[in-house]
Amino acid sequence: MELWFTEKYGDKVGFSLKVKETLFAGESPYQTVHVLDTHMFGKVLTLDGLFMTTDRDEFIYHEMITHPVMYLHDNPQDILVIGGGDGGTVREILKHSCVNKVVLCEIDDMVIEVSKKFLPEIAVELINKNPKLEVFVGDGIKYVEDSKGIFDILIVDSTDPIGPAVGLFSVEFYQNCKRALKNDGIFVAQSESPFYDINIIKSIKLNLHDAGFKFVRFYYSYIPTYPSACWSWVMASDKYDPINDFPEVKEFNIRTKYFYPELGRASFVLPLFFKKEIED
Ligand code: SPD
């Protein structure tokens, strides 16, 4: 008998993967957690029935949430990641030798533990306990509220704006992120699918401006296992406007599989259906 896992986008569309085996199924205090072994995408982590990361396409997401901002900032040393308990984002950050310290604040210990056990290539820095990495299991909203002017970059690697992640899309949270950053700091977050979720994207833009950020810019790429495969991220800062300030010439000698500087710059050039909706 064939076993398929489907992430439903509403009640009329879905994306399915053929499953070899369910490796883990659990209920944490925050969400339902599954790890599946699939035929085409290798091992897959789902939370509340939604694809979070897969062996096969995780590099695109984790490189794109990390390297554009690391390349844009003049000297990123102190980095905070909210969410991202699978470890993929911190793995990419720690490839940069300029980094002094990375704090990973993940609310759900089960995500960290299953990633270490079943997704070792993604969670490699968690497994190896990189000395530059501090892992804090707790509420990102509270952590950000208690941090003032200490981070160069703050990355929100969250789930979708349902369940435990809802508060990570609010004006209050964005205001506290701004306060947690140094004056020249940069905020980055995953910002859903421009194809299906344009209203969420519009409200992210509004909320980041309301929180007082001067520049709010979206960029995009494709992630095969996310809804529509067309995925976006947002950057906000008072100092850097990625559209004008993305360095033309700057050394980048990090080993990557997707990102390179010209692609990073180009990812801010949006398709019309997306650009028109968010124009000032
Ligand atoms: N629809 C899925 C959005 C999930 C974004 N975060 C994924 C976490 C990977 N580190």
Side-chain angles (χ1 to χ4, degrees):
M1 204 183 68
E2 289 188 355
L3 180 61
W4 289 78
F5 177 89
T6 301
E7 175 178 334
K8 286 173 134 190
Y9 315 150
D11 60 0
K12 295 186 184 64
V13 191
F15 175 73
S16 303
L17 290 183
K18 190 172 175 183
V19 175
K20 284 187 195 166
E21 191 187 351
T22 301
L23 299 173
F24 179 86
E27 193 73 43
S28 81
Y30 304 100
Q31 52 209 343
T32 306
V33 181
H34 283 95
V35 181
L36 312 170
D37 192 9
T38 68
H39 288 269
M40 285 299 285
F41 281 81
K43 279 178 261 152
V44 169
L45 171 70
T46 72
L47 298 178
D48 285 339
L50 308 175
F51 291 112
M52 287 298 127
T53 198
T54 83
D55 275 341
R56 180 135 181 221
D57 65 358
E58 62 86 11
F59 69 99
I60 308 175
Y61 177 87
H62 291 125
E63 289 186 18
M64 287 303 282
I65 200 170
T66 301
H67 299 303
V69 68
M70 296 294 289
Y71 187 73
L72 177 62
H73 195 287
D74 288 336
N75 187 20
Q77 294 192 318
D78 297 306
I79 323 286
L80 172 61
V81 179
I82 302 293
D86 53 68
T89 298
V90 298
R91 179 196 65 200
E92 294 304 313
I93 294 168
L94 287 162
K95 288 180 179 173
H96 293 256
S97 55
C98 55
V99 168
N100 173 44
K101 184 174 178 180
V102 186
V103 179
L104 173 70
C105 178
E106 163 64 56
I107 198 165
D108 195 343
D109 199 28
M110 191 180 279
V111 173
I112 297 177
E113 290 311 314
V114 299
S115 302
K116 283 177 11 189
K117 182 160 180 196
F118 297 106
L119 305 165
E121 283 168 24
I122 301 176
V124 59
E125 298 295 354
L126 304 174
I127 295 166
N128 293 345
K129 294 192 164 69
N130 187 309
K132 291 182 177 179
L133 175 63
E134 181 185 317
V135 178
F136 177 78
V137 178
D139 185 359
I141 295 178
K142 181 86 183 60
Y143 192 93
V144 165
E145 224 175 270
D146 295 341
S147 310
K148 303 274 180 271
I150 47 178
F151 295 106
D152 297 301
I153 291 175
L154 193 162
I155 299 180
V156 183
D157 180 8
S158 73
T159 55
D160 304 297
I162 42 170
V166 174
L168 302 178
F169 292 78
S170 69
V171 184
E172 296 70 29
F173 175 68
Y174 293 157
Q175 280 166 340
N176 288 325
C177 288
K178 191 168 186 303
R179 285 188 206 113
L181 286 164
K182 297 176 190 168
N183 290 339
D184 64 346
I186 312 178
F187 170 93
V188 183
Q190 74 86 4
S191 52
E192 304 291 303
S193 161
F195 192 80
Y196 287 126
D197 307 314
I198 200 69
N199 289 333
I200 297 177
I201 291 176
K202 283 178 172 179
S203 91
I204 292 172
K205 179 171 174 176
L206 206 64
N207 289 354
L208 282 166
H209 276 307
D210 284 353
F213 283 105
K214 186 170 172 194
F215 302 111
V216 177
R217 300 291 191 192
F218 291 86
Y219 61 104
Y220 84 112
S221 179
Y222 78 100
I223 314 286
T225 53
Y226 286 179
S228 82
C230 179
W231 207 252
S232 72
W233 297 263
V234 64
M235 256 190 222
S237 173
D238 286 344
K239 174 176 174 185
Y240 296 93
D241 178 359
I243 290 184
N244 295 313
D245 302 333
F246 209 79
E248 295 246 5
V249 185
K250 183 177 170 184
E251 196 177 318
F252 183 79
N253 49 20
I254 308 288
R255 190 185 285 256
T256 51
K257 285 200 278 182
Y258 189 83
F259 174 88
Y260 57 101
E262 293 92 323
L263 177 132
R265 165 185 284 276
S267 66
F268 287 88
V269 179
L270 304 178
L272 267 186
F273 79 90
F274 183 4
K275 180 175 151 64
K276 274 187 174 166
E277 293 286 351
I278 54 153
E279 261 166 0
D280 292 315

